[in-house]
Amino acid sequence: MVITFTTVITIIKKIIDVSIVWLIFYIILKNIRNSVKLTLLFKGVVFVIVVKLISDWCGFTTVGLILEYVIMYGPLALIVIFQPEIRNILEQLGRNQLLGRHKVLTVDERERLVYEIVNAMDYLRKQRIGALIVIERDISLGNYIDKAKKIYADISSDLLISIFFPNNPLHDGGVIIQGNRITCAGAVFPTSSNSKLNKRLGTRHRAALGIAEETDAISLVVSEETGRLSIAVKGELFYNLSLDDVRMMLIDELRPKSDSDYEEDLDEEEIYEENN
């Protein structure tokens, strides 16, 4: 077999073609993983496909016919129902998320971020001052930032306390943190409709869980009634945490996931334990 230049070009084109398809699948699966609703949607689609294959294999005519209609008209219904999630994914691609849109914090910057947030939450819980602090990660919170009061200030516990102090116009909204800066205050988030959520929990907790279900953000809540601390992350609400629990969860969630940074973060934890 003679390998010509044309053959080599054809092979390269096929490799690029397959690579692009796999890249698209990777982006889709990555965004599905970061959204609770899209994860459930993906599981539902897989379930329908599996049942359709089983019905065809077993010769279930009625079930197969119904599933054919579901598969035929289902995509249109899903586009209408999940239009906000699809729009968010397209916006993330438009912001070039793959090229590293967010600033990567150093160990010192992450340590200071955790320190300032924990100090603010400690004061707020003692004074029974309600607060909602949301930390943006990979998924953009630009939609909520655009509708909130812009601040763009360095993170500090004093500023966080001032924002949530009673009678402050921004007291009832949430604060969004990007990197190590407070981007905005007075942000309004979607409330969770999770039926398993304790009915005694108020709007702040439902908003914290709602944004954690929609995105990969970290939401921290101080209850105005009880002073209890909570964290919502990855579609789950962790209620009534101690200050140390909040600190350790923040350190763990803010830690870079790449292996190259793992040893550096281990050193960070050792230094922190020695200083405390």
Side-chain angles (χ1 to χ4, degrees):
M1 179 179 178
V2 179
I3 300 177
T4 63
F5 179 75
T6 304
T7 305
V8 173
I9 294 298
T10 302
I11 294 173
I12 293 175
K13 287 182 178 180
K14 290 182 178 180
I15 293 174
I16 295 174
D17 185 25
V18 173
S19 299
I20 291 174
V21 172
W22 278 109
L23 179 61
I24 293 173
F25 274 111
Y26 168 76
I27 294 172
I28 293 174
L29 292 176
K30 180 180 178 181
N31 284 278
I32 287 175
R33 183 192 63 182
N34 290 331
S35 173
V36 175
K37 289 185 178 180
L38 289 180
T39 300
L40 295 175
L41 169 63
F42 180 75
K43 291 180 180 179
V45 171
V46 172
F47 176 77
V48 169
I49 293 174
V50 170
V51 173
K52 180 66 171 68
L53 294 174
I54 294 175
S55 66
D56 290 344
W57 182 69
C58 296
F60 298 153
T61 306
T62 305
V63 175
L65 182 62
I66 293 174
L67 291 177
E68 282 183 7
Y69 282 110
V70 171
I71 294 173
M72 185 182 304
Y73 298 105
L76 180 60
L78 293 177
I79 290 174
V80 174
I81 296 172
F82 291 92
Q83 183 268 339
E85 286 76 13
I86 296 172
R87 183 187 63 191
N88 287 338
I89 292 176
L90 295 176
E91 286 180 351
Q92 292 157 28
L93 295 178
R95 290 187 175 95
N96 296 323
Q97 181 179 335
L98 295 176
L99 300 179
R101 179 173 55 85
H102 298 301
K103 175 185 177 182
V104 178
L105 298 179
T106 64
V107 173
D108 290 339
E109 288 173 334
R110 291 201 307 275
E111 184 176 328
R112 181 171 181 270
L113 175 65
V114 173
Y115 175 81
E116 298 293 345
I117 291 175
V118 170
N119 272 5
M121 295 183 71
D122 186 29
Y123 177 88
L124 294 169
R125 74 182 177 93
K126 291 177 180 177
Q127 301 299 321
R128 294 290 196 276
I129 299 175
L132 173 56
I133 302 171
V134 178
I135 304 174
E136 182 189 71
R137 293 202 280 185
D138 290 334
I139 297 180
S140 171
L141 300 179
N143 287 342
Y144 307 102
I145 294 173
D146 292 340
K147 301 173 184 178
K149 183 67 176 179
K150 312 301 186 299
I151 295 180
Y152 300 116
D154 292 335
I155 183 74
S156 74
S157 57
D158 291 338
L159 180 55
L160 288 172
I161 293 170
S162 299
I163 291 172
F164 292 111
F165 203 78
N167 299 324
N168 188 314
L170 302 176
H171 168 74
D172 291 331
V175 162
I176 295 180
I177 296 175
Q178 290 180 309
N180 59 346
R181 293 176 65 83
I182 300 175
T183 302
C184 68
V188 179
F189 303 107
T191 55
S192 174
S193 57
N194 190 335
S195 59
K196 297 181 180 179
L197 194 62
N198 192 325
K199 295 182 179 180
R200 294 181 179 179
L201 297 179
T203 305
R204 281 194 183 90
H205 291 85
R206 294 186 178 277
L209 183 57
I211 194 63
E213 290 174 341
E214 297 285 346
T215 70
D216 63 343
I218 306 171
S219 303
L220 303 104
V221 183
V222 180
S223 173
E224 188 171 357
E225 290 77 17
T226 64
R228 292 177 177 175
L229 308 178
S230 305
I231 291 182
V233 63
K234 299 173 183 175
E236 187 174 357
L237 179 67
F238 300 89
Y239 182 66
N240 194 18
L241 301 175
S242 68
L243 205 61
D244 285 336
D245 290 336
V246 172
R247 180 184 294 109
M248 296 311 298
M249 283 191 68
L250 275 178
I251 291 174
D252 183 62
E253 291 296 334
L254 292 173
R255 178 185 296 127
K257 303 306 179 183
S258 60
D259 295 335
S260 60
D261 296 321
Y262 183 72
E263 294 182 0
E264 182 182 13
D265 284 310
L266 289 178
D267 294 337
E268 173 192 359
E269 292 182 3
E270 291 175 359
I271 293 172
Y272 178 82
E273 291 175 358
E274 290 176 0
N275 294 335
N276 293 272

